Amino acid sequence: MSQRLIGLLLDALWETLAMVGVSCFLAALVGIPLGVVLLVTQRGHIAESPLFNRVVGALVNATRSTPFIILMVAIIPLTRLIVGTSIGTWAAAVPLTLAAIPFVARLAEASLREVDPGLIEAAQAMGATPRQIVAKVLIPEALPGIVAGMTITVVSLIGYSAMAGAVGGGGLGDLGIRYGYQRFEGEVMAAVVVVLIVLVSLVQWAGDRLARQLNKRLTAKQAAAI
Amino acid sequence: MGHLSLSAVSKIYDDHGAPVTALSGITLDIADGEFCAILGHSGCGKTSLLNMVAGFESPTSGSITVDRQAVTGPGWERTIIFQDYALFPWANIRDNVAFGLEMKGVPPAERRRIVDHHLSLVGLAAFAERYPHQLSGGMKQRVAIARALAVQPRVLLMDEPFAALDDQTRRAMQGELTRIWQQEKKTVVLVTHSIDEAILLADTVVVLSRHPGRIKRIVPIGLDRPRDEDDPAYAVLRKELRALIHDEADPI
């Protein structure tokens, strides 16, 4: 492999990691609490507020149903406002974050919904407030599921980030398109694909491992096998 | 402290527009320190009754009070024990028992003392650092009892607590519950469909009828503890309760 190709790959890999890392961190920061809100404000839940729930739910659905490539172009004014430019790696992180927030929220909500209602009732009977139930029951119980959801998010964002080339975001996908497709350098395309496969496999492996370690319901034997 | 009073409590559910009366005109006084069993077939509304006392549901009409304070929602003065234990799987036994105390804001040193006391009470002092999945069903239910008692509730509610256990474990747990109750002197409301469980454990047995659930009879159990199934007086009570319950069975 030529020195030039390695340099290109490393730069692109760094750009991808930066875009995906920043957007995943921000998406978790906003998306997980949003998932909690989506669940607990439902009718019959610990902080029910059906109207609020419907409004937030509609916003989440609207963002989720917008194709990423359209979302990216549509929010260019917002991107300019936040990072000062609409071109480059950091500019690409804005639509990525915005697309990931509702995705994370729905995945977190689904994990939180799986928590045994008996546990919530038991906590309520011991005097726990809704806030305490979220912090001490819902989140700890759903944590393995939330971690699994974040793993899915990271992998999806690595895919989405390939589209960020459209706003000059760079990254592995952009490299593959520009060199591999537009310049017919098949070697670059192949190298990009290999790097992406390794990257996604690593993320999935680490996510699975963490989720399993957090799952206290495993028997000692299963835990030892991790 | 722990006088539970239900006055003309009714519960009507809405079944797709059609009202269904689950419970009707339940008036009941349970004295401080009394062990009361609610006995009835499935569908007699006994779990609804317990859920209303716990504060998970509100009565359609009538009122429920504990020491003259109206029940308006769940709270630590009425803890509940479920058939499936409802232990927190990610927390070890000590942290499970400490949960309610933490919610109440009890300082850590005090919390530790109370948890140790209750773990000894249920015979699980050696298992404090284990996790729920490492324990047997009977042990899990002991943890649930310790957890429910640790917050010093006025009333302890139990919803078919031993129904998921095998026969031998169930008998052992009934003996344990009697011992713990005699030591702690709590007001207990236990929902069960088992006539033997009611006679073995309770001071009074409230028999519910079905459709709608009403109080059919309140039977005092005057036997000394621990109770002996071979006692002739026990057999008389069993016969009486069986006759009351039998009327309510569905034709097979």
Side-chain angles (χ1 to χ4, degrees):
Chain A
M1 212 186 301
S2 72
Q3 204 65 42
R4 181 191 68 119
L5 182 52
I6 292 173
L8 282 174
L9 275 175
L10 281 179
D11 283 348
L13 178 64
W14 159 247
E15 283 163 357
T16 295
L17 289 178
M19 272 190 286
V20 173
V22 166
S23 15
C24 273
F25 175 74
L26 293 175
L29 213 62
V30 181
I32 295 171
L34 191 60
V36 171
V37 166
L38 279 169
L39 181 73
V40 299
T41 57
Q42 267 170 12
R43 195 182 293 281
H45 217 284
I46 54 174
E48 69 172 353
S49 176
L51 184 69
F52 179 77
N53 184 273
R54 229 168 298 148
V55 172
V56 177
L59 275 173
V60 164
N61 289 346
T63 317
R64 284 204 62 197
S65 48
T66 310
F68 181 66
I69 194 91
I70 294 175
L71 182 81
M72 199 159 57
V73 179
I75 64 156
I76 282 178
L78 178 71
T79 307
R80 278 213 187 94
L81 197 70
I82 296 172
V83 286
T85 171
S86 61
I87 300 166
T89 305
W90 302 117
V94 176
L96 279 174
T97 305
L98 209 67
I101 286 171
F103 188 68
V104 171
R106 285 297 186 202
L107 286 175
E109 183 198 358
S111 303
L112 292 159
R113 194 188 298 285
E114 293 301 310
V115 175
D116 176 6
L119 294 183
I120 299 171
E121 289 190 336
Q124 282 179 315
M126 283 184 283
T129 61
R131 196 183 290 264
Q132 287 173 319
I133 290 173
V134 169
K136 302 280 178 179
V137 180
L138 286 176
I139 300 274
E141 173 71 344
L143 203 54
I146 291 173
V147 167
M150 284 311 301
T151 309
I152 295 174
T153 308
V154 173
V155 171
S156 300
L157 282 196
I158 291 174
Y160 279 147
S161 74
M163 278 188 250
V167 293
L172 288 163
D174 184 43
L175 180 72
I177 291 289
R178 281 192 291 127
Y179 286 77
Y181 180 67
Q182 289 163 350
R183 290 205 204 166
F184 303 105
E185 289 186 38
E187 192 194 8
V188 179
M189 180 74 96
V192 162
V193 170
V194 169
V195 171
L196 280 173
I197 290 172
V198 172
L199 184 60
V200 168
S201 304
L202 275 175
V203 167
Q204 192 65 49
W205 172 80
D208 286 348
R209 193 184 157 95
L210 183 60
R212 257 180 301 169
Q213 278 175 343
L214 289 168
N215 194 341
K216 285 286 195 288
R217 269 160 299 191
L218 294 178
T219 61
K221 202 171 150 193
Q222 285 170 305
I226 294 174
Chain B
M1 295 282 272
H3 170 223
L4 174 65
S5 176
L6 288 85
S7 154
V9 169
S10 297
K11 182 70 185 177
I12 300 168
Y13 288 103
D14 179 58
D15 183 22
H16 301 286
V20 176
T21 308
L23 287 162
S24 171
I26 306 285
T27 296
L28 192 59
D29 239 2
I30 300 170
D32 181 29
E34 182 177 337
F35 197 127
C36 173
I38 312 275
L39 180 66
H41 283 290
S42 53
C44 72
K46 54 190 194 295
T47 295
S48 297
L49 189 66
L50 204 69
N51 280 341
M52 286 191 287
V53 174
F56 298 140
E57 296 176 34
S58 45
T60 310
S61 62
S63 69
I64 301 172
T65 62
V66 174
D67 296 325
R68 299 183 178 211
Q69 278 179 302
V71 169
T72 53
W76 62 266
E77 69 280 3
R78 288 158 285 116
T79 48
I80 187 160
I81 291 171
F82 300 101
Q83 182 181 323
D84 58 0
Y85 330 115
L87 300 180
F88 303 122
W90 67 90
N92 65 21
I93 302 313
R94 168 175 299 286
D95 293 341
N96 261 283
V97 177
F99 183 88
L101 298 167
E102 205 185 325
M103 300 299 108
K104 260 171 108 175
V106 175
E110 175 77 354
R111 208 149 74 198
R112 204 175 169 83
R113 194 188 59 74
I114 298 172
V115 170
D116 284 341
H117 168 78
H118 285 88
L119 283 176
S120 307
L121 179 73
V122 299
L124 287 179
F127 295 87
E129 310 306 324
R130 301 281 184 95
Y131 283 87
H133 70 81
Q134 297 170 309
L135 304 186
S136 68
M139 289 159 99
K140 283 183 198 168
Q141 202 56 296
R142 285 169 198 258
V143 177
I145 292 171
R147 185 178 67 172
L149 287 174
V151 291
Q152 308 291 336
R154 295 178 182 184
V155 182
L156 179 64
L157 307 172
M158 306 184 94
D159 188 2
E160 303 260 13
F162 308 134
L165 303 177
D166 64 78
D167 204 45
Q168 272 172 339
T169 310
R170 183 183 313 125
R171 278 163 192 274
M173 285 303 293
Q174 286 162 345
E176 279 292 281
L177 182 61
T178 301
R179 178 184 66 77
I180 292 164
W181 174 78
Q182 284 176 321
Q183 217 168 319
E184 296 283 303
K185 282 290 163 210
K186 285 278 173 228
T187 311
V188 177
V189 181
L190 172 124
V191 155
T192 184
H193 64 266
S194 158
I195 293 172
D196 280 308
E197 184 162 279
I199 305 175
L200 278 170
L201 297 174
D203 293 317
T204 46
V205 178
V206 176
V207 182
L208 291 187
S209 67
R210 289 207 288 186
H211 312 304
R214 290 180 199 276
I215 294 180
K216 191 165 185 182
R217 188 155 331 154
I218 299 178
V219 181
I221 309 290
L223 308 175
D224 288 336
R225 291 181 172 91
R227 287 167 179 167
D228 177 9
E229 290 179 60
D230 299 325
D231 183 347
Y234 185 106
V236 172
L237 281 164
R238 184 194 268 151
K239 199 171 172 187
E240 181 186 349
L241 288 173
R242 196 174 283 166
L244 284 167
I245 283 288
H246 189 72
D247 293 350
E248 298 297 325
D250 280 323
I252 295 164

mmCIF file with all atom_site columns, all heavy atoms in Angstrom, chain A residues 205-219:
data_model
loop_
_atom_site.group_PDB
_atom_site.id
_atom_site.type_symbol
_atom_site.label_atom_id
_atom_site.label_alt_id
_atom_site.label_comp_id
_atom_site.label_asym_id
_atom_site.label_entity_id
_atom_site.label_seq_id
_atom_site.pdbx_PDB_ins_code
_atom_site.Cartn_x
_atom_site.Cartn_y
_atom_site.Cartn_z
_atom_site.occupancy
_atom_site.B_iso_or_equiv
_atom_site.pdbx_formal_charge
_atom_site.auth_seq_id
_atom_site.auth_comp_id
_atom_site.auth_asym_id
_atom_site.auth_atom_id
_atom_site.pdbx_PDB_model_num
ATOM 1   N N   . TRP A 1 205 ? -18.418 -5.124  18.796 1.00 0.00 ? 205 TRP A N   1
ATOM 2   C CA  . TRP A 1 205 ? -17.832 -6.021  19.796 1.00 0.00 ? 205 TRP A CA  1
ATOM 3   C C   . TRP A 1 205 ? -17.756 -5.316  21.157 1.00 0.00 ? 205 TRP A C   1
ATOM 4   O O   . TRP A 1 205 ? -18.157 -5.866  22.185 1.00 0.00 ? 205 TRP A O   1
ATOM 5   C CB  . TRP A 1 205 ? -16.436 -6.431  19.326 1.00 0.00 ? 205 TRP A CB  1
ATOM 6   C CG  . TRP A 1 205 ? -15.653 -7.209  20.345 1.00 0.00 ? 205 TRP A CG  1
ATOM 7   C CD1 . TRP A 1 205 ? -15.784 -8.531  20.630 1.00 0.00 ? 205 TRP A CD1 1
ATOM 8   C CD2 . TRP A 1 205 ? -14.653 -6.687  21.221 1.00 0.00 ? 205 TRP A CD2 1
ATOM 9   N NE1 . TRP A 1 205 ? -14.924 -8.881  21.626 1.00 0.00 ? 205 TRP A NE1 1
ATOM 10  C CE2 . TRP A 1 205 ? -14.222 -7.770  22.021 1.00 0.00 ? 205 TRP A CE2 1
ATOM 11  C CE3 . TRP A 1 205 ? -14.083 -5.428  21.415 1.00 0.00 ? 205 TRP A CE3 1
ATOM 12  C CZ2 . TRP A 1 205 ? -13.241 -7.623  23.003 1.00 0.00 ? 205 TRP A CZ2 1
ATOM 13  C CZ3 . TRP A 1 205 ? -13.109 -5.286  22.383 1.00 0.00 ? 205 TRP A CZ3 1
ATOM 14  C CH2 . TRP A 1 205 ? -12.683 -6.368  23.158 1.00 0.00 ? 205 TRP A CH2 1
ATOM 15  N N   . ALA A 1 206 ? -17.276 -4.070  21.143 1.00 0.00 ? 206 ALA A N   1
ATOM 16  C CA  . ALA A 1 206 ? -17.131 -3.336  22.399 1.00 0.00 ? 206 ALA A CA  1
ATOM 17  C C   . ALA A 1 206 ? -18.504 -3.078  23.032 1.00 0.00 ? 206 ALA A C   1
ATOM 18  O O   . ALA A 1 206 ? -18.683 -3.230  24.241 1.00 0.00 ? 206 ALA A O   1
ATOM 19  C CB  . ALA A 1 206 ? -16.407 -2.014  22.150 1.00 0.00 ? 206 ALA A CB  1
ATOM 20  N N   . GLY A 1 207 ? -19.488 -2.715  22.196 1.00 0.00 ? 207 GLY A N   1
ATOM 21  C CA  . GLY A 1 207 ? -20.830 -2.442  22.703 1.00 0.00 ? 207 GLY A CA  1
ATOM 22  C C   . GLY A 1 207 ? -21.459 -3.683  23.317 1.00 0.00 ? 207 GLY A C   1
ATOM 23  O O   . GLY A 1 207 ? -22.039 -3.632  24.407 1.00 0.00 ? 207 GLY A O   1
ATOM 24  N N   . ASP A 1 208 ? -21.343 -4.814  22.630 1.00 0.00 ? 208 ASP A N   1
ATOM 25  C CA  . ASP A 1 208 ? -21.914 -6.069  23.139 1.00 0.00 ? 208 ASP A CA  1
ATOM 26  C C   . ASP A 1 208 ? -21.291 -6.439  24.480 1.00 0.00 ? 208 ASP A C   1
ATOM 27  O O   . ASP A 1 208 ? -21.969 -6.854  25.417 1.00 0.00 ? 208 ASP A O   1
ATOM 28  C CB  . ASP A 1 208 ? -21.651 -7.216  22.148 1.00 0.00 ? 208 ASP A CB  1
ATOM 29  C CG  . ASP A 1 208 ? -22.540 -7.114  20.925 1.00 0.00 ? 208 ASP A CG  1
ATOM 30  O OD1 . ASP A 1 208 ? -23.491 -6.299  20.956 1.00 0.00 ? 208 ASP A OD1 1
ATOM 31  O OD2 . ASP A 1 208 ? -22.288 -7.836  19.941 1.00 0.00 ? 208 ASP A OD2 1
ATOM 32  N N   . ARG A 1 209 ? -19.983 -6.286  24.531 1.00 0.00 ? 209 ARG A N   1
ATOM 33  C CA  . ARG A 1 209 ? -19.260 -6.656  25.746 1.00 0.00 ? 209 ARG A CA  1
ATOM 34  C C   . ARG A 1 209 ? -19.705 -5.797  26.932 1.00 0.00 ? 209 ARG A C   1
ATOM 35  O O   . ARG A 1 209 ? -20.003 -6.312  28.012 1.00 0.00 ? 209 ARG A O   1
ATOM 36  C CB  . ARG A 1 209 ? -17.765 -6.472  25.481 1.00 0.00 ? 209 ARG A CB  1
ATOM 37  C CG  . ARG A 1 209 ? -16.885 -7.092  26.529 1.00 0.00 ? 209 ARG A CG  1
ATOM 38  C CD  . ARG A 1 209 ? -15.430 -6.754  26.217 1.00 0.00 ? 209 ARG A CD  1
ATOM 39  N NE  . ARG A 1 209 ? -14.661 -6.850  27.435 1.00 0.00 ? 209 ARG A NE  1
ATOM 40  C CZ  . ARG A 1 209 ? -13.990 -7.949  27.787 1.00 0.00 ? 209 ARG A CZ  1
ATOM 41  N NH1 . ARG A 1 209 ? -13.993 -9.006  27.022 1.00 0.00 ? 209 ARG A NH1 1
ATOM 42  N NH2 . ARG A 1 209 ? -13.305 -7.977  28.916 1.00 0.00 ? 209 ARG A NH2 1
ATOM 43  N N   . LEU A 1 210 ? -19.794 -4.494  26.681 1.00 0.00 ? 210 LEU A N   1
ATOM 44  C CA  . LEU A 1 210 ? -20.204 -3.585  27.752 1.00 0.00 ? 210 LEU A CA  1
ATOM 45  C C   . LEU A 1 210 ? -21.638 -3.891  28.209 1.00 0.00 ? 210 LEU A C   1
ATOM 46  O O   . LEU A 1 210 ? -21.920 -3.950  29.408 1.00 0.00 ? 210 LEU A O   1
ATOM 47  C CB  . LEU A 1 210 ? -20.094 -2.134  27.267 1.00 0.00 ? 210 LEU A CB  1
ATOM 48  C CG  . LEU A 1 210 ? -20.413 -1.050  28.292 1.00 0.00 ? 210 LEU A CG  1
ATOM 49  C CD1 . LEU A 1 210 ? -19.463 -1.142  29.485 1.00 0.00 ? 210 LEU A CD1 1
ATOM 50  C CD2 . LEU A 1 210 ? -20.302 0.344   27.661 1.00 0.00 ? 210 LEU A CD2 1
ATOM 51  N N   . ALA A 1 211 ? -22.525 -4.117  27.236 1.00 0.00 ? 211 ALA A N   1
ATOM 52  C CA  . ALA A 1 211 ? -23.920 -4.396  27.573 1.00 0.00 ? 211 ALA A CA  1
ATOM 53  C C   . ALA A 1 211 ? -24.025 -5.661  28.422 1.00 0.00 ? 211 ALA A C   1
ATOM 54  O O   . ALA A 1 211 ? -24.792 -5.723  29.375 1.00 0.00 ? 211 ALA A O   1
ATOM 55  C CB  . ALA A 1 211 ? -24.760 -4.542  26.311 1.00 0.00 ? 211 ALA A CB  1
ATOM 56  N N   . ARG A 1 212 ? -23.199 -6.669  28.067 1.00 0.00 ? 212 ARG A N   1
ATOM 57  C CA  . ARG A 1 212 ? -23.260 -7.916  28.828 1.00 0.00 ? 212 ARG A CA  1
ATOM 58  C C   . ARG A 1 212 ? -22.708 -7.753  30.243 1.00 0.00 ? 212 ARG A C   1
ATOM 59  O O   . ARG A 1 212 ? -23.229 -8.318  31.190 1.00 0.00 ? 212 ARG A O   1
ATOM 60  C CB  . ARG A 1 212 ? -22.500 -9.026  28.098 1.00 0.00 ? 212 ARG A CB  1
ATOM 61  C CG  . ARG A 1 212 ? -23.454 -9.985  27.403 1.00 0.00 ? 212 ARG A CG  1
ATOM 62  C CD  . ARG A 1 212 ? -22.691 -11.059 26.687 1.00 0.00 ? 212 ARG A CD  1
ATOM 63  N NE  . ARG A 1 212 ? -21.788 -10.469 25.701 1.00 0.00 ? 212 ARG A NE  1
ATOM 64  C CZ  . ARG A 1 212 ? -20.845 -11.159 25.061 1.00 0.00 ? 212 ARG A CZ  1
ATOM 65  N NH1 . ARG A 1 212 ? -20.669 -12.437 25.326 1.00 0.00 ? 212 ARG A NH1 1
ATOM 66  N NH2 . ARG A 1 212 ? -20.077 -10.565 24.175 1.00 0.00 ? 212 ARG A NH2 1
ATOM 67  N N   . GLN A 1 213 ? -21.643 -6.951  30.344 1.00 0.00 ? 213 GLN A N   1
ATOM 68  C CA  . GLN A 1 213 ? -21.079 -6.739  31.684 1.00 0.00 ? 213 GLN A CA  1
ATOM 69  C C   . GLN A 1 213 ? -22.049 -6.003  32.589 1.00 0.00 ? 213 GLN A C   1
ATOM 70  O O   . GLN A 1 213 ? -22.076 -6.215  33.796 1.00 0.00 ? 213 GLN A O   1
ATOM 71  C CB  . GLN A 1 213 ? -19.776 -5.952  31.577 1.00 0.00 ? 213 GLN A CB  1
ATOM 72  C CG  . GLN A 1 213 ? -18.614 -6.849  31.238 1.00 0.00 ? 213 GLN A CG  1
ATOM 73  C CD  . GLN A 1 213 ? -17.339 -6.071  31.020 1.00 0.00 ? 213 GLN A CD  1
ATOM 74  O OE1 . GLN A 1 213 ? -17.359 -4.864  30.820 1.00 0.00 ? 213 GLN A OE1 1
ATOM 75  N NE2 . GLN A 1 213 ? -16.222 -6.767  31.059 1.00 0.00 ? 213 GLN A NE2 1
ATOM 76  N N   . LEU A 1 214 ? -22.870 -5.138  31.995 1.00 0.00 ? 214 LEU A N   1
ATOM 77  C CA  . LEU A 1 214 ? -23.827 -4.374  32.791 1.00 0.00 ? 214 LEU A CA  1
ATOM 78  C C   . LEU A 1 214 ? -25.027 -5.208  33.198 1.00 0.00 ? 214 LEU A C   1
ATOM 79  O O   . LEU A 1 214 ? -25.784 -4.837  34.078 1.00 0.00 ? 214 LEU A O   1
ATOM 80  C CB  . LEU A 1 214 ? -24.305 -3.158  31.986 1.00 0.00 ? 214 LEU A CB  1
ATOM 81  C CG  . LEU A 1 214 ? -23.267 -2.056  31.783 1.00 0.00 ? 214 LEU A CG  1
ATOM 82  C CD1 . LEU A 1 214 ? -23.759 -1.063  30.749 1.00 0.00 ? 214 LEU A CD1 1
ATOM 83  C CD2 . LEU A 1 214 ? -22.972 -1.358  33.095 1.00 0.00 ? 214 LEU A CD2 1
ATOM 84  N N   . ASN A 1 215 ? -25.220 -6.314  32.501 1.00 0.00 ? 215 ASN A N   1
ATOM 85  C CA  . ASN A 1 215 ? -26.397 -7.123  32.774 1.00 0.00 ? 215 ASN A CA  1
ATOM 86  C C   . ASN A 1 215 ? -26.156 -8.052  33.962 1.00 0.00 ? 215 ASN A C   1
ATOM 87  O O   . ASN A 1 215 ? -25.541 -9.100  33.838 1.00 0.00 ? 215 ASN A O   1
ATOM 88  C CB  . ASN A 1 215 ? -26.765 -7.928  31.531 1.00 0.00 ? 215 ASN A CB  1
ATOM 89  C CG  . ASN A 1 215 ? -28.142 -8.514  31.656 1.00 0.00 ? 215 ASN A CG  1
ATOM 90  O OD1 . ASN A 1 215 ? -28.688 -8.624  32.755 1.00 0.00 ? 215 ASN A OD1 1
ATOM 91  N ND2 . ASN A 1 215 ? -28.717 -8.882  30.535 1.00 0.00 ? 215 ASN A ND2 1
ATOM 92  N N   . LYS A 1 216 ? -26.673 -7.642  35.131 1.00 0.00 ? 216 LYS A N   1
ATOM 93  C CA  . LYS A 1 216 ? -26.425 -8.384  36.370 1.00 0.00 ? 216 LYS A CA  1
ATOM 94  C C   . LYS A 1 216 ? -27.248 -9.659  36.465 1.00 0.00 ? 216 LYS A C   1
ATOM 95  O O   . LYS A 1 216 ? -27.104 -10.430 37.392 1.00 0.00 ? 216 LYS A O   1
ATOM 96  C CB  . LYS A 1 216 ? -26.756 -7.499  37.575 1.00 0.00 ? 216 LYS A CB  1
ATOM 97  C CG  . LYS A 1 216 ? -25.713 -6.432  37.833 1.00 0.00 ? 216 LYS A CG  1
ATOM 98  C CD  . LYS A 1 216 ? -24.455 -7.026  38.439 1.00 0.00 ? 216 LYS A CD  1
ATOM 99  C CE  . LYS A 1 216 ? -23.551 -5.977  39.027 1.00 0.00 ? 216 LYS A CE  1
ATOM 100 N NZ  . LYS A 1 216 ? -22.895 -5.178  38.007 1.00 0.00 ? 216 LYS A NZ  1
ATOM 101 N N   . ARG A 1 217 ? -28.140 -9.860  35.495 1.00 0.00 ? 217 ARG A N   1
ATOM 102 C CA  . ARG A 1 217 ? -28.970 -11.057 35.577 1.00 0.00 ? 217 ARG A CA  1
ATOM 103 C C   . ARG A 1 217 ? -28.266 -12.296 35.057 1.00 0.00 ? 217 ARG A C   1
ATOM 104 O O   . ARG A 1 217 ? -28.762 -13.393 35.173 1.00 0.00 ? 217 ARG A O   1
ATOM 105 C CB  . ARG A 1 217 ? -30.273 -10.848 34.812 1.00 0.00 ? 217 ARG A CB  1
ATOM 106 C CG  . ARG A 1 217 ? -31.352 -10.306 35.708 1.00 0.00 ? 217 ARG A CG  1
ATOM 107 C CD  . ARG A 1 217 ? -32.415 -9.676  34.889 1.00 0.00 ? 217 ARG A CD  1
ATOM 108 N NE  . ARG A 1 217 ? -31.843 -8.577  34.127 1.00 0.00 ? 217 ARG A NE  1
ATOM 109 C CZ  . ARG A 1 217 ? -32.584 -7.705  33.466 1.00 0.00 ? 217 ARG A CZ  1
ATOM 110 N NH1 . ARG A 1 217 ? -33.875 -7.814  33.460 1.00 0.00 ? 217 ARG A NH1 1
ATOM 111 N NH2 . ARG A 1 217 ? -32.025 -6.720  32.818 1.00 0.00 ? 217 ARG A NH2 1
ATOM 112 N N   . LEU A 1 218 ? -27.099 -12.086 34.441 1.00 0.00 ? 218 LEU A N   1
ATOM 113 C CA  . LEU A 1 218 ? -26.375 -13.237 33.934 1.00 0.00 ? 218 LEU A CA  1
ATOM 114 C C   . LEU A 1 218 ? -25.897 -14.105 35.088 1.00 0.00 ? 218 LEU A C   1
ATOM 115 O O   . LEU A 1 218 ? -25.591 -13.622 36.161 1.00 0.00 ? 218 LEU A O   1
ATOM 116 C CB  . LEU A 1 218 ? -25.163 -12.769 33.135 1.00 0.00 ? 218 LEU A CB  1
ATOM 117 C CG  . LEU A 1 218 ? -25.446 -12.010 31.852 1.00 0.00 ? 218 LEU A CG  1
ATOM 118 C CD1 . LEU A 1 218 ? -24.137 -11.592 31.216 1.00 0.00 ? 218 LEU A CD1 1
ATOM 119 C CD2 . LEU A 1 218 ? -26.223 -12.868 30.894 1.00 0.00 ? 218 LEU A CD2 1
ATOM 120 N N   . THR A 1 219 ? -25.797 -15.379 34.830 1.00 0.00 ? 219 THR A N   1
ATOM 121 C CA  . THR A 1 219 ? -25.234 -16.256 35.843 1.00 0.00 ? 219 THR A CA  1
ATOM 122 C C   . THR A 1 219 ? -23.723 -16.066 35.843 1.00 0.00 ? 219 THR A C   1
ATOM 123 O O   . THR A 1 219 ? -23.149 -15.548 34.884 1.00 0.00 ? 219 THR A O   1
ATOM 124 C CB  . THR A 1 219 ? -25.550 -17.728 35.522 1.00 0.00 ? 219 THR A CB  1
ATOM 125 O OG1 . THR A 1 219 ? -24.950 -18.019 34.268 1.00 0.00 ? 219 THR A OG1 1
ATOM 126 C CG2 . THR A 1 219 ? -27.044 -17.960 35.428 1.00 0.00 ? 219 THR A CG2 1
#
